[in-house]
Amino acid sequence: MSVESWDPNADAQKKSYTLNHDVLLNIIEQRQKHPEQPIAEYFDAEALQIHSAMMKVDRESWLNTIGRFTEAQLLSLIEFLTLAEKQISSWQAGADSPVIYIVKFMRQSKMPLNKDMLLWIKANSDNRFLPNGPL
């Protein structure tokens, strides 16, 4: 587990953060190639803090960015985001987790998660809202 540092500019960075298709593809590729790699090792400390803002990006931005991803890519992204939220304190999103947006997107796109994946999310998350959001 890593120790995080406080950055006085973090709030401003989070408000100006924009999802980047290439960053997400890099995350997906790393997840697919190295599924056992700890999430905190995907980025250096500075990038880890910067990209934590992706957990607070609105639903519409997520849907616009993930629309061209394959089912396998979306599943890898769900795994990454689920583990990131559990393993890194600054990546917690609660009821606004992008995992919820992606799961709903997949269901609406006729790619519902199978039971094993739903159970995996529950087993690997402390977020009581995952995978379906607030009821």
Side-chain angles (χ1 to χ4, degrees):
M1 182 176 247
S2 66
V3 176
E4 297 177 59
S5 61
W6 179 74
D7 180 357
N9 299 319
D11 285 339
Q13 288 174 343
K14 285 183 180 187
K15 289 177 183 172
S16 66
Y17 187 86
T18 303
L19 283 177
N20 182 302
H21 187 264
D22 292 333
V23 169
L24 295 179
L25 283 176
N26 184 43
I27 289 169
I28 290 165
E29 186 176 300
Q30 275 188 265
R31 180 76 190 147
Q32 290 173 343
K33 286 183 180 178
H34 309 286
E36 301 304 319
Q37 179 181 15
I39 299 304
E41 293 178 7
Y42 278 53
F43 304 106
D44 64 28
E46 182 180 353
L48 192 67
Q49 188 164 348
I50 290 168
H51 293 301
S52 70
M54 75 172 58
M55 299 302 283
K56 300 296 184 183
V57 171
D58 64 274
R59 180 182 180 274
E60 195 65 32
S61 296
W62 271 102
L63 296 179
N64 288 336
T65 306
I66 64 170
R68 300 184 311 256
F69 288 170
T70 66
E71 183 175 1
Q73 289 172 319
L74 292 170
L75 291 173
S76 292
L77 193 54
I78 287 171
E79 289 175 358
F80 169 82
L81 293 167
T82 300
L83 293 172
E85 192 168 6
K86 183 174 183 177
Q87 295 175 12
I88 308 167
S89 64
S90 63
W91 284 61
Q92 295 176 359
D96 297 319
S97 174
V99 172
I100 298 165
Y101 309 149
I102 299 169
V103 169
K104 286 182 180 180
F105 170 80
M106 291 181 73
R107 190 174 34 239
Q108 292 169 347
S109 300
K110 309 289 189 244
M111 298 182 281
L113 300 184
N114 63 36
K115 184 178 179 179
D116 289 339
M117 185 61 176
L118 293 170
L119 292 173
W120 183 92
I121 292 169
K122 286 287 195 190
N124 289 281
S125 176
D126 294 331
N127 184 342
R128 65 187 176 101
F129 295 106
L130 296 187
N132 298 313
L135 300 176

